Amino acid sequence: MPEISFPNIDPIAFEIGPLVIRWYALAYIAGILLGWRYCLHLARRDTLRPNAPDIDDFMVWAIFGIILGGRVGYVVFYNAAYYLEYPLEAIMVWHGGMSFHGGLVGVLLAITVFSWRRGFSPLAMGDLVAVAAPIGLFFGRLANFVNGELFGRVSDVPWAVVFPYGGDLPRHPSQLYEAVLEGLVLFAVLAVLAHRPGIRRRAGFLTGVFLVGYGLARMFVEFFREPDVQLGFILGPITMGQILSTPMVLLGLYLMVRTRRHSEDKPMLQAHSAGRN
């Protein structure tokens, strides 16, 4: 079968004495910093809340939501039996193991509490976070590729890669598929929508688009990605990633339909009000 040798990229970016900086950590940092700057750009385009100061203050909440939610999600969804036996391992984040779906729940909780305390709609904050999230997903999936983890199933496509931890057979570089679909494509779609006039007034619409877009992209790529060895397939050919992505798609569709109905109802309410005047 045709194959491409895995690029010899050291997962450690650099070392400063005992401090070891990995590409995976830099991917998180780049995603958070660039996402923060992009949210500020969008928030400054009008006078709606959340505004730029709100975005600045939310960053600490977002970081904790990503890290704590991502770790708890991995422990619960992907390796619960192991961590029940070795509970102290659950707090050792440096050993690896993060879940996007867990991180999503963590960020949603952070958005809800922060927005409630500030007095504006959580959906409005969710929309800004949603348009920036693909930036972090893009860098994160590239880091997965560099680490040679979360690789795809055995394949004979010309671009198949022999991963150092995946045996001798070439496999789909599914991390790159996800980087393109969940990162570049989803970012482009959301960027076009986010710059349409008045789109921020439809609170929840961009959040819905993100949830649907990510969910469908993840469910599609899962057909090429090797299931986690400790889980395998859950229901026939269905993986845990597909199961967790299904409610995302359903919730996203609900938010998109809901905001569309509200936008259609407002002109009707205004017309009735004008008639009574």
Side-chain angles (χ1 to χ4, degrees), residues 128-145:
L128 290 178
V129 174
V131 297
I135 300 174
L137 289 170
F138 173 74
F139 285 109
R141 295 310 182 191
L142 291 183
N144 290 147
F145 181 80

Side-chain angles (χ1 to χ4, degrees), residues 150-154 171-172 174 221-229 232-233 239:
L150 306 183
F151 42 73
R153 305 180 193 181
V154 174
R171 297 174 175 273
H172 283 288
S174 55
V221 175
E222 285 285 323
F223 287 114
F224 304 92
R225 177 172 160 175
E226 184 74 18
D228 294 81
V229 64
F233 295 100
T239 66

Side-chain angles (χ1 to χ4, degrees), residues 229-241:
V229 64
Q230 70 274 15
L231 291 179
F233 295 100
I234 306 299
L235 296 171
I238 305 302
T239 66
M240 178 61 79

Side-chain angles (χ1 to χ4, degrees), residues 8 49 65 69 71 74 78 99 115 132 218:
N8 186 22
R49 299 283 303 276
R71 184 58 173 176
Y74 178 79
Y78 289 95
S99 162
S115 301
R218 177 67 180 269

